[in-house]
Amino acid sequence: MATTNGSNDLSSEMEVDAFRRLFPLRFHERHLLESIRPDGRPLGRARDTTISLGAVASANGSALAKIGCTTMLAAVKLEVMTPKAESPDEGCIAIDFHMPPICSPLVRPGRPAEAAPVITKQLTDTILSSGMIDLKELSLVSGKAAWMAYLDIYCLDADGALFDAALLSAVAAFSHLQIPVVSLNDDGRIVLISEENSGAMWEKEPVNKEKRKLKLESVPFSLTCLLHKNYILADPSDEEESIMETFLTVVLDSSFQLVSLNKPGGPGLAHTSAIQDCVGINKTESERTSEDIG
Amino acid sequence: MDEKREDGRAVTQLRPLSCTRNVLNRAHGSASFSQGETRILAAVYGPKAGTKKNENPEKACIEVIWKPKSGQIGKAEKEYEMIVKRTLQNICLLNVHPNTTTSIIIQVVNDDGSLLPCAINAACSALVDAGIPLKYLAVAISCCISEDEDCILDPNKLEEQKMKALVYLVFRNSIMSVLDEESTQVGESIENGIVTSVTHGVMTVNNYFRCLEQGRAAIKPLSDFLRKKLQSKVQSDVSVAG
């Protein structure tokens, strides 16, 4: 105990900033002993979350989500497509996650970040399997036309918990989505009815008069926790992620069903009690965040 | 447990396992691992000098290259590469060869479900074959929840597609200890901790913990099988040398 109390770890002899750079793990463990983190949060507390809807005017739905400094810009664009033969009543969602060099010093121009395709895959799995969006709602004319939704998420600032922020921005962008009004023209093709010439076109019955908004069934909420010794740190920053490398991501939907529990290896182990704690923290934080956003 | 599956297996019964080591001539270590019709070939090259960019040079670096059976490498394969890499980081002694890179090439020979667990078992056997210092063996299993809430182990491709939810789990192997049972069961032992967990599909939290328990129970025969296969080679080597 004497070593962790710092009588012989040089911490009393050097400046705080120097100690932080030279002994990053020691620096963080000294904080954890006092049940606090370098940015002043308690261990189980996520950072403040803000969402602003409609950040991209040209997209059909968009949102800018911030968790602490981690910033994600998500936009949904709709296009009409012919549905697949095996699912004539369903639309389609294509998700892409981008990490441009602006987001982090680790990403170099020209070479795509390693994490980007992995997060894209996890987002696709989570959003499609959670049943948040009923693909049948994206159908226009059975077997003829359906919406293809392109969801693009740009990471503007990568300061840890990328997946959580990306999922939050994706959900917000879908909740903001305004489906344009379309009608069938004489050739049986889908045309957009724009606001200006609506007078001339209005005789043509719009195909989707009522279906202007997507119904979001059960909204998934994701929280990443770092596991270090017996401590559980919710919503880690980039610095914490790079020092303590074992993390566990729990995604629960609104009825607290488990959508995903992802722990991709790492130096530490996750015990049953730790997993239960992470699920518990996810529940409390999802309530707090939904109050935050309002 | 009288309910049988389509291929006649019991709910918690695994498919026949086979593991062959040293199947490739030029590789430093190699192994072929199969669970039923799923088959993976893994090769290990290294440790080679130097680490990749953005890696810590004070530790050994692990590089995983996933080769699908056919076609181009996509996002799913990138995710597999990341999971296998981080899983192997858990069991390797990274401080023994600092500033080196060990490459693990995983070639899918046939995919009939439980692909990722089979790949992790194959990679682990190949690492042993190459003599890379390890702390433990990684033992991987897949487990799924069927429509009638049954917990089924080691599903094949057809079963995977019909399932409500699917969990891939990786544990450390059960250790053979000289200490008696009682003294090792203090608190949460090492083999109870999860190295890797990946889920697909929605399930209740309780069902997840049920999968965890089933998977944990299946680890013992799996790790015994791995140990037997890996030990027999070592012993025959010794007898040749003697």
Side-chain angles (χ1 to χ4, degrees), chain B residues 198-218:
Chain B
V198 181
T199 71
H200 294 275
V202 183
M203 66 188 118
T204 61
V205 177
N206 274 342
N207 272 342
Y208 178 80
F209 285 110
R210 266 177 61 208
C211 282
L212 212 62
E213 243 161 63
Q214 290 279 4
R216 207 171 268 155

Side-chain angles (χ1 to χ4, degrees), chain A residues 55-218:
Chain A
V56 184
S58 63
N60 298 103
S62 61
L64 183 82
K66 274 178 87 99
I67 298 180
C69 286
T70 303
T71 312
M72 295 287 170
L73 180 64
V76 185
K77 213 172 98 179
L78 292 175
E79 271 178 22
V80 177
M81 60 144 194
T82 318
K84 287 180 201 141
E86 58 261 37
S87 53
D89 293 322
E90 288 182 1
C92 200
I93 300 173
I95 298 166
D96 216 349
F97 178 76
H98 307 268
M99 285 179 79
I102 192 177
C103 74
S104 153
L106 294 176
V107 184
R108 303 285 309 148
R111 282 175 42 175
E114 276 178 20
V118 177
I119 294 181
T120 303
K121 174 76 177 23
Q122 288 168 350
L123 277 173
T124 311
D125 280 353
T126 306
I127 290 176
L128 293 183
S129 73
S130 71
M132 172 176 83
I133 295 163
D134 186 3
L135 291 177
K136 291 202 167 68
E137 282 200 33
L138 292 171
S139 172
L140 287 167
V141 183
S142 176
K144 290 265 171 55
W147 289 116
M148 173 93 200
Y150 292 98
L151 169 65
D152 282 278
I153 302 170
Y154 282 87
C155 179
L156 302 181
D157 195 351
D159 190 23
L162 297 185
F163 179 78
D164 301 355
L167 186 65
L168 189 71
S169 70
V171 171
F174 274 119
S175 76
H176 175 252
L177 182 64
Q178 284 276 348
I179 300 176
V181 186
V182 291
S183 72
L184 279 171
N185 70 4
D186 298 332
D187 311 334
R189 300 180 66 174
I190 294 283
V191 283
L192 284 182
I193 301 180
S194 56
E195 300 296 327
E196 295 90 64
N197 62 3
S198 59
M201 296 285 287
W202 209 237
E203 308 91 73
K204 290 259 185 296
E205 190 57 32
V207 180
N208 58 345
K209 209 171 183 178
E210 299 90 43
K211 290 193 251 169
R212 299 293 309 280
K213 275 270 182 196
L214 274 185
K215 199 156 80 229
L216 299 187
E217 292 288 342
S218 55

Side-chain angles (χ1 to χ4, degrees), chain A residues 228-256:
Chain A
H228 182 71
K229 293 181 179 164
N230 286 325
Y231 304 110
I232 298 174
L233 287 77
D235 186 24
S237 67
D238 187 54
E239 189 190 4
E240 289 168 331
E241 270 183 3
S242 64
I243 294 164
M244 298 167 272
E245 293 171 26
T246 313
F247 54 88
L248 190 151
T249 305
V250 180
V251 185
L252 295 180
D253 67 10
S254 356
S255 52
F256 296 138

Side-chain angles (χ1 to χ4, degrees), chain B residues 10-221:
Chain B
V11 177
T12 56
Q13 193 181 355
L14 309 183
R15 290 174 288 177
L17 304 166
S18 90
C19 172
T20 323
R21 282 168 59 196
N22 207 6
V23 285
L24 301 174
N25 185 27
R26 293 294 305 275
H28 298 137
S30 60
S32 157
F33 198 97
S34 69
Q35 291 173 231
E37 293 293 301
T38 304
R39 190 178 194 83
I40 300 271
L41 190 62
V44 173
Y45 290 89
K48 299 174 281 192
T51 48
K52 291 205 325 186
K53 217 174 173 184
N54 292 341
E55 296 275 350
N56 182 1
E58 289 179 17
K59 286 186 172 178
C61 162
I62 292 175
E63 174 190 47
V64 175
I65 299 162
W66 186 286
K67 292 282 178 192
K69 189 179 171 188
S70 62
Q72 289 280 309
I73 175 165
K75 281 166 186 142
E77 284 77 21
K78 285 274 179 207
E79 191 194 11
Y80 286 153
E81 281 183 356
M82 189 272 287
I83 293 169
V84 176
K85 176 185 163 185
R86 291 185 53 99
T87 302
L88 296 178
Q89 274 174 344
N90 184 288
I91 58 160
C92 285
L93 277 166
L94 298 172
N95 295 321
V96 177
H97 302 298
N99 201 17
T100 60
T101 302
T102 304
S103 308
I104 296 130
I105 295 106
I106 292 179
Q107 172 69 55
V108 180
V109 181
N110 193 22
D111 175 13
D112 186 30
S114 310
L115 189 64
L116 185 64
C118 189
I120 289 171
N121 291 336
C124 183
S125 316
L127 281 175
V128 174
D129 192 44
I132 306 290
L134 303 177
K135 288 183 273 190
Y136 299 90
L137 299 176
V139 191
I141 184 93
S142 74
C143 193
C144 57
I145 300 283
S146 69
E147 287 295 337
D148 16 328
E149 307 271 302
D150 277 332
C151 196
I152 292 178
L153 285 180
D154 193 18
N156 60 28
K157 191 108 188 167
L158 215 71
E159 288 173 311
E160 269 185 4
Q161 281 159 359
K162 281 191 287 184
M163 286 307 145
K164 266 168 69 181
L166 178 71
V167 188
Y168 295 140
L169 293 167
V170 184
F171 298 91
R172 289 174 172 179
N173 67 323
S174 37
I175 39 174
M176 278 210 260
S177 173
V178 286
L179 301 168
D180 53 345
E181 293 264 314
E182 283 167 36
S183 58
T184 52
Q185 283 184 343
V186 184
E188 290 169 317
S189 66
I190 290 164
E191 58 189 278
N192 277 342
I194 313 171
V195 177
T196 297
S197 153
V198 181
T199 71
H200 294 275
V202 183
M203 66 188 118
T204 61
V205 177
N206 274 342
N207 272 342
Y208 178 80
F209 285 110
R210 266 177 61 208
C211 282
L212 212 62
E213 243 161 63
Q214 290 279 4
R216 207 171 268 155
I219 284 308
K220 184 96 179 77

